[in-house]
């Protein structure tokens, strides 16, 4: 009987296969016109743009959001995570389920649950990354706006002095160029803030019609603890949803069955077994499969693929955790260096203020330069702190703990 089934499959394959047809001739490639080298110059004549006379005003009202709230909302609104948790295959049939059906439902519940947590963990990491970028952009906007105010006051004073016959000691043209550069930075920051708000609204499930921007109300505190790489690796091996998902498949009686096939195919479609495309062959293949007395090589192949995927993912997880720990440590040292730089500039500003109070000639210009340098140093410190906090969130994502907090 088995021999008859095999012969039938061979006969159907022979009858259903057709000779490959020759592909149509390709059209001749397009020929672009040739010419000498030109110039690349922007044309803004139609834009009717003029530099802003003052720094742009900010909104009066914001929606306050902390980093912890950001993580929580991202976890709650992770796309498709709830659908995986509530998949119909997660529950056995209501009427007299067999032992095998109950085991398959339990495996589905665990596998799809870990898959849902993986989506939530990634969503929380993406949201926190955008959150700290927003905090950096809002803080940078205020610092650049303050620098714009100081520089514009010096420019107005210099222009006023020139009008009454004084020499141009402040280099008015240089001040104007600096103001234009600051206005360009403000415009870029404003556009970036709008984009980050839109992205966060989608990640957190906020009302897209609400135009009130988000205010990052986190204290941006740098902790005293330095992460330990070995401990973080152990936490990742225990908590990462992607690792636990593969462990459930590896430990199941039939290595996960169709669930394992779906996961392996998702890793690389070429790993999956090719199904017959001819619908006439499906009943025959099913008949031959029903005649099997015991598992075939396909089961062993699936087991090897699941175990290989688990081993590879464990190595990848350890690499990601160690890289994240190194980034946290490096960013923490950068914060310390930038904080020391800010203190130096603050001392320089204080000294310049004393010289202005004493009536020293040229001290006002020195004070302006010192204040501008201080604004820049504070911006660098803000960027270093938000980079540190973002890398800390990336470490928590790499260990799989963002979804558990």
């Amino acid at each position: 009987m088995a021999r008859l089934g095999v012969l039938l499959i061979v006969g159907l394959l022979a009858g259903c296969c057709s000779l490959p047809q020759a592909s149509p001739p390709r059209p001749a490639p397009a020929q672009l016109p040739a010419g000498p080298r030109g110039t690349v110059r922007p044309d803004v004549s139609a834009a009717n743009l003029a530099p802003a006379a003052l720094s742009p005003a900010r909104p009066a009202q914001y929606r306050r959001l902390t980093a912890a709230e950001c993580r929580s909302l991202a976890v709650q609104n992770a796309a498709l995570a709830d659908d995986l948790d509530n998949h119909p295959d997660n529950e056995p049939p209501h009427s007299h389920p067999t032992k095998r059906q109950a085991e398959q439902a339990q495996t589905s519940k665990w596998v799809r649950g870990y898959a849902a947590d993986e989506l939530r963990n990634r969503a929380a990491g993406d949201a926190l990354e955008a959150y700290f970028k927003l905090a950096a952009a809002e803080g940078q906007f205020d610092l650049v706006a303050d620098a714009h105010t100081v520089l514009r006051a010096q420019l107005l004073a210099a222009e006023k002095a020139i009008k009454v016959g004084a020499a141009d000691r402040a280099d008015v043209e240089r001040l104007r160029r600096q103001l234009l550069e600051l206005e360009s930075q403000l415009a870029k920051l404003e556009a970036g803030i709008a984009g980050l708000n839109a992205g966060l609204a989608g990640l957190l499930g906020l009302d897209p019609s609400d135009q009130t921007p988000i205010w990052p109300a986190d204290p941006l505190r740098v902790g005293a603890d330095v992460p330990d790489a070995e401990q973080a690796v152990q936490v990742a091996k225990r908590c990462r949803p992607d690792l636990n998902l593969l462990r459930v498949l590896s430990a199941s009686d039939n290595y996960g069955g169709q669930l394992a096939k779906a996961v392996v195919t998702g890793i690389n479609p070429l790993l999956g077994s090719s199904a017959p495309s001819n619908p006439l062959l499906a009943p025959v293949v099913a008949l031959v499969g029903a005649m099997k007395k015991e598992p075939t090589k396909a089961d062993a192949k699936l087991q090897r693929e699941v175990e290989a995927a688990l081993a590879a993912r464990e190595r990848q997880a350890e690499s990601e955790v160690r890289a994240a720990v190194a980034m946290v440590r490096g960013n923490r040292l950068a914060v310390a260096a930038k904080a020391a730089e800010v203190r130096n500039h603050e001392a320089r500003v204080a000294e310049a203020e004393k010289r202005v109070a004493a009536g020293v000639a040229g001290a006002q210009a020195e004070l302006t330069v010192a204040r501008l340098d201080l604004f820049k140093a504070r911006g660098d410190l803000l960027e270093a702190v938000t980079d540190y906090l973002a890398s800390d969130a990336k470490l928590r994502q790499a260990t799989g703990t963002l979804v558990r907090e």
Side-chain angles (χ1 to χ4, degrees):
M1 182 67 183
R3 182 179 179 185
L4 177 61
V6 173
L7 292 175
L8 182 58
I9 293 175
V10 173
L12 286 172
L13 286 173
C16 296
C17 294
S18 59
L19 295 175
Q21 298 181 356
S23 59
R26 295 182 178 180
Q31 294 291 331
L32 300 179
R37 179 180 176 83
T39 57
V40 180
R41 294 177 181 174
D43 182 6
V44 298
S45 58
N48 193 25
L49 299 175
L54 297 173
S55 59
R58 304 306 293 145
Q61 293 292 324
Y62 289 84
R63 301 291 185 190
R64 296 176 62 84
L65 179 72
T66 65
E69 293 167 342
C70 177
R71 185 208 64 82
S72 179
L73 286 172
V75 168
Q76 294 173 25
N77 293 278
L80 303 180
D82 289 343
D83 295 328
L84 287 170
D85 276 338
N86 300 316
H87 196 277
D89 289 349
N90 294 351
E91 297 293 334
H94 295 293
S95 58
H96 308 292
T98 65
K99 180 180 179 182
R100 183 173 180 81
Q101 288 174 330
E103 291 175 349
Q104 289 177 341
Q106 184 62 39
T107 300
S108 172
K109 186 175 183 178
W110 280 105
V111 169
R112 288 190 166 92
Y114 282 127
D117 281 350
E118 175 66 10
L119 292 177
R120 295 184 178 108
N121 198 55
R122 292 183 183 181
D126 293 342
L128 285 174
E129 182 180 6
Y131 177 87
F132 290 120
K133 285 183 178 179
L134 177 61
E138 287 286 8
Q140 293 282 9
F141 189 97
D142 291 340
L143 290 169
V144 174
D146 290 342
H148 185 279
T149 301
V150 170
L151 200 59
R152 183 165 181 79
Q154 185 183 10
L155 175 61
L156 293 174
E159 290 175 339
K160 183 177 180 180
I162 292 174
K163 287 181 180 180
V164 297
D168 183 7
R169 300 182 182 275
D171 194 353
V172 170
E173 288 304 320
R174 177 180 58 82
L175 295 176
R176 287 172 180 162
R177 289 193 301 270
Q178 288 179 317
L179 275 175
L180 291 174
E181 177 61 28
L182 292 179
E183 289 163 6
S184 175
Q185 292 181 29
L186 289 172
K188 291 179 180 179
L189 287 169
E190 193 167 27
I193 288 169
L196 290 167
N197 270 274
L200 276 173
L203 289 169
L204 305 184
L206 304 179
D207 183 2
S209 64
D210 185 0
Q211 298 301 308
T212 306
I214 296 170
W215 181 257
D218 201 77
L220 303 182
R221 183 177 296 110
V222 177
D225 297 333
V226 179
D228 179 78
E230 300 303 328
Q231 182 181 0
V233 168
Q234 295 305 314
V235 172
K237 289 182 177 180
R238 185 174 66 254
C239 297
R240 277 182 62 132
D242 56 339
L243 299 183
N244 289 327
L245 183 155
L246 291 170
R247 290 190 185 109
V248 170
L249 293 177
S250 179
S252 63
D253 292 338
N254 61 342
Y255 314 115
Q258 295 299 321
L259 280 174
K261 291 179 182 178
V263 171
V264 169
T265 304
I267 295 173
N268 190 314
L270 297 179
L271 291 174
S273 300
S274 299
S277 58
N278 193 329
L280 296 176
L281 294 181
V284 180
V285 174
L287 176 63
V288 175
M291 294 189 303
K292 294 189 304 181
K293 299 294 184 181
E294 56 187 28
T296 63
K297 293 181 179 179
D299 298 311
K301 175 177 179 291
L302 185 59
Q303 179 189 15
R304 291 195 303 270
E305 289 172 344
V306 170
E307 292 176 349
L310 175 58
R313 192 60 62 89
E314 284 179 338
R315 293 192 298 270
Q316 179 184 353
E318 181 171 351
S319 298
E320 290 175 358
V321 169
R322 293 188 184 278
V325 169
M327 188 63 68
V328 171
R329 290 178 173 178
N331 287 335
R332 193 171 183 276
L333 293 174
V335 169
K338 294 301 181 182
E341 187 176 350
V342 167
R343 290 193 295 269
N344 290 337
H345 283 289
E346 288 174 342
R348 182 183 165 197
V349 168
E351 182 63 28
E353 288 174 343
K354 293 179 181 178
R355 291 169 60 84
V356 169
V360 178
Q364 185 61 50
E366 294 176 5
L367 176 59
T368 299
V369 173
R371 284 175 174 170
L372 294 176
D373 290 342
L374 177 58
F375 289 139
K376 184 180 183 305
R378 285 176 175 169
D380 293 341
L381 175 59
L382 173 64
E383 184 176 359
V385 170
T386 52
D387 285 347
Y388 164 82
L389 294 172
S391 63
D392 179 71
K394 184 66 70 175
L395 173 59
R396 287 147 59 202
Q397 179 184 350
T399 57
T401 55
L402 276 182
V403 72
R404 293 169 172 259
E405 295 174 2

